[in-house]
């Protein structure tokens, strides 16, 4: 199987082609290990294949998987066909326990029948690059790069049909020029495959050495050697180099399995489309021979250096990606704490707002004042209305007392002492201003006029002489007091003594209230 995974919404995706799983060829006499050692030793003809994304939830300490694609019941060969070129969006995976979201770290091929992981590949690595940026993956391709790669890979089979013959000729010529050494690099699996396709039986004990001796004896002419070389190399060329996408070539593993000389020659000479050429350069570095000599030594050295630089970069970006993952886990932690703190703050706030206001001139006070003022205004209007209905001449003060607020006078301090330096305005009669320790000013109290307003503003304490003041003036004075917060007292008599007592009472009461507040 070859396939890749991918993301549109997040601008990220994984071309599923990057997950390479190779199965046993049906006619293989023994397990043929592929480049990535992913050999499915199939006990059953079919299995239920699922493609999943996976991450660990750092909070719940659980592995979270999300199904990306269900292939259903498949034989390995079917899977291979079906998964050819799928692009799967890479999206954050939600944890079902804590609902936290984060980017998946692995792609998983899962066998649902046996409930087992067939293959697990880290995302955003050289093994499974993610296409698109913006997520914390070490190896990402830009969409343009991926498109170019896909274009190149799509055209490769046709391209190779055209260039194949010429390639095989050169490849065989190279092998024939070093026939004995070339044969040394043929793997046991290739001997089996090649001999089977040539219709020749393997020697009784098919060790590589025995096979090589057999081949040296058996294939004498160039024509025979060429045919044999093609048969022995078909697997390597067609099922490895051409089958596995160029960006995924496991060069080092190939060098170990198929011989460094052959693999290097193929890396240098396999026909590739221009779109894929950059990968050839990149893949060459790991194949550089350990000891270099001859005219190409300098060139090899340079390739090795570049390859090492690339490798360092890659390791660094993988390290950075790991750090980023850790950072994100830490941030996740902090965010949780922050959320808890916010919840606590809003809980406290709610608790506070439910509590009665206990101090200061708070909104509740303001509301109370507003209520009082509107009550006062209503009453004053009522009074004006009543007054219009009365006969003109007499604004006769009535007997009844408007809200007598006389508090029981306990051991009252001397009135002048309480009010010393203050101005008291009495409404209800005219008189000479009194300029003692306490100033007393008078207003006729017939109605609330400009004079009344001015005096009220000057006053520290207002006193209404209830038996002499008009209703209108009284209510206006009350409104004024409610508005400004100045104390207002009520006196039955009209003498200085009455006025002072009423003023001192209300003044003291207000002082006490303010102290209490
Ligand atoms: Zn969780």
């Amino acid at each position: 199987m070859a396939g890749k995974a991918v993301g549109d919404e997040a601008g990220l995706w994984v071309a599923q082609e990057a997950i390479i799983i190779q199965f046993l060829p049906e006619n293989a006499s023994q397990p043929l290990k592929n480049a990535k050692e992913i050999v499915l030793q199939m006990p059953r003809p079919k299995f239920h294949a699922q493609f999943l994304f996976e991450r660990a939830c750092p909070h719940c300490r659980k592995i979270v998987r999300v199904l990306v694609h269900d292939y259903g019941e498949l034989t390995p060969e079917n899977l291979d066909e079906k998964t050819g070129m799928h692009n799967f969006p890479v999206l954050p995976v939600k944890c079902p326990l804590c609902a936290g979201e984060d980017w998946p770290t692995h792609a998983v091929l899962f066998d649902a029948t046996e409930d087992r992981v067939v293959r697990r590949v880290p995302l955003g690595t050289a093994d499974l690059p993610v296409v698109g940026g913006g997520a914390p993956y070490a190896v990402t391709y830009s969409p343009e790069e991926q498109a170019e790669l896909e274009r190149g890979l799509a055209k490769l089979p046709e391209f190779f049909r055209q260039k194949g013959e010429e390639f095989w000729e050169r490849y065989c010529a190279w092998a024939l020029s070093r026939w004995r050494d070339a044969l040394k690099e043929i793997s046991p699996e290739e001997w089996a495959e090649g001999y089977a396709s040539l219709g020749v039986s393997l020697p009784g004990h098919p060790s590589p050495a025995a096979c090589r001796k057999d081949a040296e004896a058996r294939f004498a002419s160039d024509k025979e050697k060429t045919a044999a070389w093609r048969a022995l190399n078909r697997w390597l060329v067609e099922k490895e180099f051409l089958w596995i996408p160029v960006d995924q070539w496991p060069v080092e593993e190939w060098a170990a399995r198929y011989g460094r000389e052959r693999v290097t020659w193929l890396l240098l000479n396999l026909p590739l489309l221009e779109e894929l050429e950059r990968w050839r350069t990149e893949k060459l570095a790991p194949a550089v021979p350990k000891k270099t000599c001859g005219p190409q030594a300098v060139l090899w050295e340079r390739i090795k250096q570049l390859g090492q630089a690339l490798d360092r970069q890659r390791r660094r970006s993988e390290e950075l990606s790991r750090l980023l993952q850790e950072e994100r886990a830490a941030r996740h932690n902090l965010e949780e704490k922050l959320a808890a703190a916010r919840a606590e703050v809003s809980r406290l706030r709610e608790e506070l707002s439910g509590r009665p206001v206990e101090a200061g001139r708070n909104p509740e006070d303001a509301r109370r004042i507003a209520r009082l003022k509107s009550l006062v205004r209503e009453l004053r209007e009522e009074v004006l209305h009543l007054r219009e209905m009365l006969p003109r001449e007499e604004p006769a003060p009535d007997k009844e007392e408007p809200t007598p607020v006389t508090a029981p006078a306990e051991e009252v301090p001397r009135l002048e002492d309480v009010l010393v330096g203050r101005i008291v305005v009495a409404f209800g009669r005219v008189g000479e201003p009194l300029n003692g320790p306490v100033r007393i000013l008078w207003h006729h109290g017939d109605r609330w006029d400009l004079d009344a307003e001015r005096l009220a503003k000057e006053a520290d304490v207002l006193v209404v002489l209830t038996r002499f003041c008009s209703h209108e003036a009284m209510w206006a004075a009350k409104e004024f007091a409610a508005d400004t917060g100045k104390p207002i007292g009520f006196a039955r008599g009209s003498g200085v003594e009455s006025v002072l007592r009423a003023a001192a009472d209300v003044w003291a009461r207000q002082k006490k209230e303010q102290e209490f507040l």
Side-chain angles (χ1 to χ4, degrees), residues 55 57-62 64 95-100 332:
R55 75 174 176 94
C57 176
H59 179 74
C60 308
R61 299 179 190 284
K62 286 247 185 256
V64 184
C95 171
L97 295 175
C98 67
H332 181 80

Side-chain angles (χ1 to χ4, degrees), residues 466-510:
T466 55
R467 289 166 66 204
F468 308 101
C469 188
S470 74
H471 267 84
E472 182 209 340
M474 181 192 69
W475 285 110
K478 284 178 90 171
E479 186 189 4
F480 183 89
D483 198 20
T484 57
K486 287 185 183 183
I488 182 166
F490 301 91
R492 267 183 76 78
S494 64
V496 167
E497 185 71 15
S498 298
V499 169
L500 279 178
R501 181 168 292 120
D505 278 351
V506 71
W507 182 263
R509 194 161 61 240
Q510 194 182 62

